[in-house]
Amino acid sequence: MTRRERQELIDKGLLLPLMEEFYTIQGEGFHKGTAAYFVRIGGCDVGCHWCDVKESWLAELHPPTETQKIVENAVKYSDTIIVTGGEPLTWDMGPLTTQLKAKGVQTHIETSGAYPLSGEWDWICLSPKKMKLPTQEVYEKAHELKCIIYNNDDFKFAEEQAAKVSKDCILYLQPEWSKRDKMMPKIVDYVMANPKWKVSLQTHKYLNIP
């Protein structure tokens, strides 16, 4: 296969830069505590300074993998598939989710929403970033909004983002892991004063699992 042919397949979503895949427990947000199979797609230019998977940023470091093979492997483990990144919406998610839905599984995505929404999703977890804000469609369709709290200014940003999602979207505040001891008491106080929000924790890190 030539480089051009490979790029055409990538552009169509038939090849995706697969960083890693694993079966584990969802650690965050609405579905925390449930078993799911994670598919981590490489490639992200949003550039969060506190990102804990910076090795996902450069797509060229991760092998272009046939979408069909990703699907065939994923459905062996779980009926809930969570696509994460990197930023998965960098790529066309249509072929991946079409094949997953054909297998009768639930499709979830974790995204910053910075790129146009593609694919068919049963659950959209939107975690917006200041550097590159979500598209209007992702705001409208998000099932949960997860705002990461790194410093005091992030509470204001979280409120700005909450004003843009639908009234049915579940709202979460989650401490950035390295700042959890400092920010967690502030998050607790904030949620108690503003009960439309819920607290999200990275429970998988406390459990020492992927």
Side-chain angles (χ1 to χ4, degrees), residues 12 40 59 61 79 83 100 103 130 135 138 141 145 166-167 182 189 194:
K12 293 177 181 178
R40 188 181 302 281
L61 296 181
D79 59 5
V83 181
L100 287 170
K103 299 288 187 180
K130 297 175 184 176
T135 66
V138 182
K141 294 187 175 181
L145 174 71
S166 76
K167 62 180 178 59
K182 178 181 179 181
D189 289 345
N194 301 272

Side-chain angles (χ1 to χ4, degrees), residues 19-20 40 42-43 51-59 61-62 86:
M19 177 181 168
E20 60 179 346
R40 188 181 302 281
C51 177
D52 56 4
V53 281
K54 286 186 172 70
E55 60 272 26
S56 71
W57 289 6
L58 294 177
L61 296 181
H62 309 294

Side-chain angles (χ1 to χ4, degrees), residues 32-49:
K32 65 181 178 297
T34 60
Y37 193 77
F38 281 74
V39 175
R40 188 181 302 281
I41 305 298
C44 183
D45 65 357
V46 178
C48 306
H49 64 91

Side-chain angles (χ1 to χ4, degrees), residues 4-209:
R4 180 177 178 180
E5 289 171 337
R6 181 182 296 109
Q7 189 59 50
E8 287 177 351
L9 291 175
I10 291 172
D11 292 342
K12 293 177 181 178
L14 298 175
L15 288 177
L16 292 170
L18 180 65
M19 177 181 168
E20 60 179 346
E21 49 189 338
F22 50 92
Y23 185 45
T24 189
I25 301 296
Q26 168 62 283
E28 305 175 9
F30 183 79
H31 294 282
K32 65 181 178 297
T34 60
Y37 193 77
F38 281 74
V39 175
R40 188 181 302 281
I41 305 298
C44 183
D45 65 357
V46 178
C48 306
H49 64 91
W50 40 255
C51 177
D52 56 4
V53 281
K54 286 186 172 70
E55 60 272 26
S56 71
W57 289 6
L58 294 177
E60 55 267 31
L61 296 181
H62 309 294
T65 304
E66 291 180 23
T67 303
Q68 181 181 349
K69 289 184 178 179
I70 296 174
V71 171
E72 290 174 352
N73 191 53
V75 298
K76 294 176 184 176
Y77 294 89
S78 180
D79 59 5
T80 299
I81 311 302
I82 301 175
V83 181
T84 187
E87 175 43 69
L89 291 182
T90 303
W91 318 100
D92 183 356
M93 292 285 105
L96 177 64
T97 60
T98 295
Q99 293 176 61
L100 287 170
K101 296 306 293 181
K103 299 288 187 180
V105 301
Q106 294 284 301
T107 55
H108 296 194
I109 187 172
E110 298 179 342
T111 177
S112 69
Y115 288 92
L117 186 64
S118 59
E120 180 183 353
W121 304 103
D122 296 296
W123 194 265
I124 298 173
C125 174
L126 173 61
S127 184
K129 306 301 187 294
K130 297 175 184 176
M131 297 76 74
K132 203 164 189 176
L133 294 174
T135 66
Q136 185 60 37
E137 184 182 14
V138 182
Y139 279 129
E140 293 171 355
K141 294 187 175 181
H143 298 91
E144 69 177 288
L145 174 71
K146 183 174 65 182
C147 292
I148 308 303
I149 304 300
Y150 182 82
N151 56 39
N152 291 336
D153 290 340
D154 291 330
F155 289 107
K156 180 175 181 291
F157 178 71
E159 291 292 352
E160 293 169 351
Q161 298 305 293
K164 296 181 180 182
V165 297
S166 76
K167 62 180 178 59
D168 297 321
C169 187
I170 305 169
L171 307 179
Y172 288 101
L173 298 176
Q174 178 173 296
E176 195 278 325
W177 182 252
S178 70
K179 299 291 184 179
R180 64 191 183 280
D181 291 339
K182 178 181 179 181
M183 299 312 298
M184 197 68 248
K186 296 182 180 183
I187 291 174
V188 169
D189 289 345
Y190 194 90
V191 170
M192 292 178 70
N194 301 272
K196 68 179 181 181
W197 291 96
K198 300 177 186 293
V199 176
S200 175
L201 295 173
Q202 292 180 292
T203 59
H204 56 293
K205 293 189 175 181
Y206 289 101
L207 296 171
N208 197 30
I209 58 177

